[in-house]
Amino acid sequence: MPDFTNCKRLPGYAYNGANGKKLAIEYHGERYVLKFPASDLGNPPGCSQPNSCINEHIASTIFNMAGISAQETLLGTYTVEGNTEIVCACKDFTWNGSRLFDFCSIRNTVLDSPHSGTDTELEGILDTIRKQQYVAPEELLRYFWDIFVMDAFLGNFDRHNGNWGFLYHDDTQSITPAPVYDCGSCLLPQADEQVMRMVLENPEELDARVYRFPTSSIKQAGRKINYYDFLMAAANPDCNAAVIRMVPRLHMDAIRAWINGVPFLNELQRRFYQKYLATRLEKILMPAYLQLAEHPS
């Protein structure tokens, strides 16, 4: 696996975000963002996410496997003062001169909206999508709901307004949805091997992490959306259309086979990721999909 320790640093680039440190490097002539595992240091107790880098790589790749453009990622190592860590290298999709604008920034340009840029209430997000003038609302609505359905599959608890958005292309003066990025909060990044073993051996523990949590960071009536309840309610036609589009693209045999080749994982971890994803597909997405297929609107 690549060792990024001696790669050239690029001091002209810096990246924000709350989970883990980030470093810009040059690797094989291209710009990458190295993401380091989030730790308890400087955070409240229990905020450690030791699997965030591995989960970033797995979730980003599964987005691409499902036909949704996401950042390209590599797993490797980086050594600081004798301590070697597993890191995720994310290819910088702004390398060609494009500029990234997150959805929070776009929301602040909608002057007649009563909602702030950081507000994650679903009603306000959909209102901004309809009113913004950067991307065709129909295209952006499709993009938003496709990501939502994939986040339901991957168990993402942190898709807020600051980690999805648009690319502005200076050469053509056009704007397109950005590749999906910042997926380290998928797949239970706080789960250590003890939790993984418990989830694999106890169906009630597994069901709790499917039906009850993690929830979406998007809210409805002030409460974070429960993925299962929301998809089974089938109250939003655009979300329903995304379920019909996305579920047939999720091929568990291919995902299992790919996870078998992910570096740095032991057998317990491989079994956990495969079981967790298969169960979320079986118990959240498939019931919603079959319900819509049997009773199309």
Side-chain angles (χ1 to χ4, degrees), residues 46-203:
C47 284
S48 174
Q49 296 185 5
N51 304 321
S52 58
C53 290
I54 289 174
N55 293 11
E56 182 90 49
H57 176 60
I58 293 175
S60 299
T61 304
I62 290 175
F63 264 104
N64 281 314
M65 292 174 74
I68 297 181
S69 176
Q71 61 186 359
E72 299 176 33
T73 57
L74 294 167
L75 290 178
T77 59
Y78 196 96
T79 301
V80 180
E81 297 182 349
N83 181 37
T84 300
E85 294 189 280
I86 298 172
V87 297
C88 183
C90 306
K91 190 174 181 180
D92 191 335
F93 46 73
T94 65
W95 64 272
N96 60 356
S98 300
R99 288 182 282 156
L100 175 65
F101 293 90
D102 59 36
F103 187 68
C104 180
S105 302
I106 300 302
R107 290 197 72 176
N108 288 333
T109 69
V110 180
L111 302 182
D112 60 344
S113 172
H115 308 281
S116 70
T118 58
D119 178 47
T120 57
E121 189 72 26
L122 177 61
E123 180 183 357
I125 291 173
L126 298 180
D127 180 63
T128 298
I129 289 175
R130 289 190 293 268
K131 292 179 178 177
Q132 57 79 37
Q133 300 179 0
Y134 294 87
V135 177
E138 298 79 10
E139 177 186 357
L140 186 56
L141 202 60
R142 180 186 179 104
Y143 176 73
F144 169 79
W145 284 117
D146 285 352
I147 292 176
F148 181 88
V149 171
M150 287 299 296
D151 281 341
F153 174 53
L154 296 164
N156 191 352
F157 62 82
D158 196 36
R159 183 72 66 197
H160 52 76
N161 295 337
N163 59 13
W164 69 281
F166 313 84
L167 287 179
Y168 181 80
H169 310 283
D170 287 293
D171 53 348
T172 59
Q173 296 186 338
S174 61
I175 294 182
T176 58
V180 176
Y181 62 99
D182 200 2
C183 299
S185 295
C186 298
L187 302 166
L188 304 181
Q190 298 177 350
D192 57 18
E193 290 196 3
Q194 180 180 353
V195 171
M196 290 183 179
R197 191 171 290 106
M198 181 174 61
V199 168
L200 286 170
E201 296 174 355
N202 188 331

Side-chain angles (χ1 to χ4, degrees), residues 133-291:
Q133 300 179 0
Y134 294 87
V135 177
E138 298 79 10
E139 177 186 357
L140 186 56
L141 202 60
R142 180 186 179 104
Y143 176 73
F144 169 79
W145 284 117
D146 285 352
I147 292 176
F148 181 88
V149 171
M150 287 299 296
D151 281 341
F153 174 53
L154 296 164
N156 191 352
F157 62 82
D158 196 36
R159 183 72 66 197
H160 52 76
N161 295 337
N163 59 13
W164 69 281
F166 313 84
L167 287 179
Y168 181 80
H169 310 283
D170 287 293
D171 53 348
T172 59
Q173 296 186 338
S174 61
I175 294 182
T176 58
V180 176
Y181 62 99
D182 200 2
C183 299
S185 295
C186 298
L187 302 166
L188 304 181
Q190 298 177 350
D192 57 18
E193 290 196 3
Q194 180 180 353
V195 171
M196 290 183 179
R197 191 171 290 106
M198 181 174 61
V199 168
L200 286 170
E201 296 174 355
N202 188 331
E204 292 181 359
E205 294 290 346
L206 177 58
D207 282 349
R209 289 162 177 81
V210 171
Y211 294 121
R212 291 184 12 229
F213 63 90
T215 56
S216 172
S217 66
I218 298 171
K219 298 178 181 179
Q220 195 170 37
R223 298 185 64 180
K224 291 185 176 181
I225 288 175
N226 176 286
Y227 284 119
Y228 174 80
D229 292 342
F230 186 87
L231 293 180
M232 289 303 295
N236 186 291
D238 295 305
C239 181
N240 296 343
V243 170
I244 294 296
R245 279 194 302 273
M246 297 309 304
V247 171
R249 302 185 193 180
L250 300 175
H251 304 292
M252 275 309 306
D253 287 344
I255 292 172
R256 287 190 188 95
W258 177 79
I259 288 175
N260 281 333
V262 174
F264 302 113
L265 298 181
N266 60 35
E267 186 58 30
L268 172 67
Q269 292 169 312
R270 294 186 203 282
R271 287 174 50 225
F272 167 77
Y273 287 118
Q274 291 166 338
K275 179 67 173 179
Y276 186 62
L277 286 167
T279 304
R280 292 189 72 85
L281 178 59
E282 175 192 352
K283 295 190 174 184
I284 296 180
L285 294 186
M286 283 305 300
Y289 175 80
L290 293 174
Q291 174 181 257

